[in-house]
C-alpha cells in the first residue's frame, strides 16, 4: 500500500527571544499570570529580514538534510500559514525559489492553527494519487506582525517560528499496527465561530492586514471538546486503539488544554510533547516545531505511533495518526 512516510523533520526560530518579564514592561501583565494561565515562559519574535518565508526555507533545508533528500527531488510544497510574506504569490513559491527548485507543485494552505494538519492531509492525498513522490510540508508563521501589542489578552500568547517535514511515498504493509507513514487523518471546520478568533482586516474588506482578535475563554472551551472528538475519530479511522499511542504531538496553545486533552485520551503527561513554555503559540508552525524537537532529542523514534492534532480560527480542527 502506498503511503506518505515522514523521512525527515526540521525547524527554525527567530533569533530574538522575548520573556514574559520583558512583556510586563509594556503591557499590564505578569510572568506569574502568563505561566499560571498558559504555561508560556517566553516566545521568539521575528526581527528585520526574518519572515514567514525565510523561516520556512530554513526549516525546510533542515528537514531535507535530515531526510538525505536533495531539494531538486521535491515534487510538491504545501505551506501552511496565516501570515504569508505577501497577499500573493504564495509563500510556498517563495520557499521554492529560495531552495533553488526550478519546477514543482507549490501552494499555501490557510487553516490558521490547524494549517499543518490540513497541509499534511492535502499532501498525503496528492502523494497517494501519484502527484508527487517527495513532498515538503511546512508550517510557518510570524504572528508577531498581526498582534495588537497593547492587548494583553492576546499579545502574550503567540510567537513566531517554522517547522517542516519531508514526506516520501513508500509501498508498505496494509496492517496499521506495523505500517509506517500517515495512517489516517481527520479534518473539520465550523465557520459559524469566526468572531471568536479572527483578524480584523484583509485585502477584500479593509485593504489592510489587520490585527488578531480572540475571545480566549470561548476558544478554550471549544478546543478541549473538539480535540478529544477528532482524536477518537482519527484512531478509529486508522484502525488503532488510543492505548497504542506512543506520543501526542499537539498544537501548543495552552498547557492547560494539553493536560485536558491527554487526560481525556487516558494518556500520561509524559507522553505529550510540550513546547508551549518556550515557543508560545506559533499557530501552524507549532505541531512541526514540537515534532522536530522530539525527533532531534531522541524521544520520538522510528516505528512509534504519533498522533498530531490542532484546533484554531475558523474554527478548524484536525488530527493525524502517523507511524514514524
Ligand atoms: O491557537 C488557537 C487556539 N487558541 C487557544 O486555544 C486559546 C485558548 N484560550 C486560552 O488559552 C485562555 O482562555 C487564555 C490564556 C487566552 C485566557 O485564560 P483564561 O483563564 O480563560 O482567562 P480569561 O480570558 O477568563 O481572563 C481572566 C482575567 C480577566 O480579568 P477579569 O475580567 O476577570 O478581571 C482578563 O482581563 O485575566 C485577565 N487577563 C490578564 N491578566 C494579566 C487577560 N490577559 C491577561 C494578561 N495578564 N496577559
Amino acid at each position: 500500500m502506498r503511503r506518505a512516510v515522514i523521512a525527515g523533520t526540521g525547524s527554525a526560530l527567530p533569533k530574538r527571544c522575548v520573556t514574559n518579564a520583558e512583556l510586563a514592561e509594556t503591557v499590564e501583565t505578569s510572568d506569574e499570570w502568563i505561566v499560571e494561565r498558559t504555561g508560556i515562559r517566553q516566545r521568539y519574535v521575528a526581527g528585520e529580514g526574518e519572515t514567514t518565508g525565510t523561516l520556512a526555507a530554513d526549516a525546510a533545508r533542515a528537514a531535507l538534510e535530515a531526510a538525505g533528500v536533495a531539494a531538486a527531488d521535491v515534487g510538491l510544497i504545501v505551506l501552511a500559514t496565516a501570515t504569508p510574506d505577501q497577499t500573493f504569490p504564495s509563500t510556498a513559491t517563495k520557499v521554492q525559489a529560495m531552495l533553488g527548485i526550478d519546477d514543482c507543485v507549490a501552494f499555501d494552505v490557510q487553516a490558521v492553527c490547524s494549517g499543518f494538519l490540513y497541509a499534511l492531509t492535502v499532501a498525503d492525498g496528492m502523494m497517494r494519487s501519484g502527484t508527487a513522490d517527495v513532498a515538503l510540508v511546512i508550517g510557518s508563521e510570524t504572528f508577531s506582525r498581526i498582534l495588537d501589542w497593547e492587548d494583553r489578552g492576546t499579545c502574550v500568547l503567540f510567537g513566531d517560528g517554522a517547522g517542516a517535514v519531508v514526506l516520501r511515498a513508500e509501498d508498505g504493509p496494509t496492517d496499521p499496527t506495523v505500517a509506517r507513514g500517515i495512517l489516517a487523518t481527520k479534518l473539520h471546520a465550523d465557520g459559524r465561530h469566526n468572531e471568536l478568533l479572527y483578524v480584523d482586516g484583509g485585502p477584500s474588506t479593509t485593504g489592510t492586514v489587520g490585527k488578531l482578535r480572540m475571545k480566549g475563554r470561548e476558544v478554550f472551551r471549544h478546543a478541549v471538546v473538539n480535540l478529544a472528538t477528532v482524536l477518537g475519530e482519527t484512531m478509529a479511522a486508522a484502525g488503532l486503539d488510543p492505548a497504542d499511542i506512543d506520543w501526542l504531538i499537539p498544537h501548543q496553545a495552552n498547557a492547560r488544554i494539553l493536560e485536558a486533552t491527554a487526560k481525556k485520551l487516558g494518556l500520561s503527561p509524559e507522553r505529550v510533547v510540550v513546547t508551549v513554555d518556550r515557543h508560545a503559540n506559533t499557530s501552524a508552525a507549532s505541531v512541526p516545531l514540537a515534532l522536530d524537537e522530539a525527533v532531534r532529542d531522541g524521544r520520538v523514534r522510528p516505528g512509534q505511533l504519533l498522533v498530531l492534532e490542532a484546533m484554531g480560527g475558523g474554527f478548524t480542527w484536525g488530527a493525524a495518526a502517523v507511524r514514524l
Side-chain angles (χ1 to χ4, degrees):
M1 187 172 179
R2 183 176 159 100
R3 293 189 201 271
V5 173
I6 295 181
T9 66
S11 60
L13 290 162
K15 285 184 207 73
R16 183 169 166 233
C17 179
V18 177
T19 62
N20 292 346
E22 206 175 327
L23 284 183
E25 288 169 15
T26 53
V27 284
E28 205 182 322
T29 189
S30 64
D31 178 53
E32 194 188 7
W33 189 95
I34 302 170
V35 172
E36 192 189 304
R37 299 292 179 116
T38 70
I40 297 166
R41 294 181 181 278
Q42 61 174 46
R43 72 285 296 138
Y44 291 84
V45 174
E48 214 184 316
E50 290 175 321
T51 69
T52 293
T54 66
L55 292 168
D58 287 346
R61 280 188 203 99
L64 287 167
E65 194 183 337
V69 166
D73 293 336
V74 172
L76 169 67
I77 301 174
V78 189
L79 188 149
T81 190
T83 48
D85 284 13
Q86 294 159 271
T87 302
F88 79 81
S90 70
T91 306
T93 57
K94 294 192 72 172
V95 171
Q96 178 199 11
M98 283 187 252
L99 296 178
I101 302 170
D102 292 339
D103 186 20
C104 71
V105 179
F107 60 96
D108 288 358
V109 160
Q110 217 283 46
V112 205
C113 298
S114 316
F116 187 76
L117 271 304
Y118 269 70
L120 199 68
T121 304
V122 169
D124 177 42
M126 292 178 77
M127 292 178 81
R128 280 175 194 256
S129 65
T131 300
D133 292 327
V134 176
L136 263 172
V137 181
I138 308 168
S140 185
E141 303 276 19
T142 44
F143 262 47
S144 64
R145 301 209 164 118
I146 56 163
L147 291 175
D148 175 351
W149 286 99
E150 290 176 2
D151 174 16
R152 67 175 184 173
T154 54
C155 76
V156 305
L157 303 174
F158 295 90
D160 302 336
V165 299
V166 172
L167 297 179
R168 195 163 35 209
E170 284 181 14
D171 285 319
T174 309
D175 179 358
T177 62
V178 291
R180 291 185 68 213
I182 300 173
L183 305 175
T185 63
K186 279 279 167 189
L187 299 176
H188 291 277
D190 182 350
R192 290 172 297 179
H193 301 292
N194 184 302
E195 82 291 352
L196 296 181
L197 178 50
Y198 66 103
V199 167
D200 63 4
S204 184
T205 49
T206 58
T208 62
V209 171
K211 299 288 180 208
L212 183 149
R213 308 290 171 204
M214 177 167 76
K215 295 197 174 107
R217 207 178 308 180
E218 280 90 328
V219 178
F220 191 108
R221 203 163 42 80
H222 281 91
V224 175
V225 175
N226 290 344
L227 289 172
T229 309
V230 77
L231 284 165
E233 290 170 358
T234 306
M235 293 308 285
L240 294 166
D241 191 274
D244 300 330
I245 299 171
D246 290 303
W247 291 100
L248 181 65
I249 320 267
H251 171 49
Q252 310 281 325
N254 185 316
R256 289 186 291 143
I257 297 179
L258 306 191
E259 284 157 23
T261 309
K263 205 168 169 185
K264 284 204 169 183
L265 272 179
L267 208 64
S268 86
E270 295 82 60
R271 298 272 115 193
V272 183
V273 176
V274 179
T275 56
V276 68
D277 52 331
R278 285 154 295 125
H279 299 166
N281 182 345
T282 56
S283 184
S286 89
V287 169
L289 262 168
L291 173 63
D292 184 50
E293 178 173 295
V295 166
R296 282 174 194 268
D297 69 20
R299 269 179 292 171
V300 170
R301 293 190 306 276
Q304 290 187 325
L305 179 65
L306 322 179
V307 175
L308 285 45
E309 50 92 330
M311 141 98 192
F315 291 141
T316 56
W317 63 104
V322 183
R323 193 178 304 283
L324 205 59

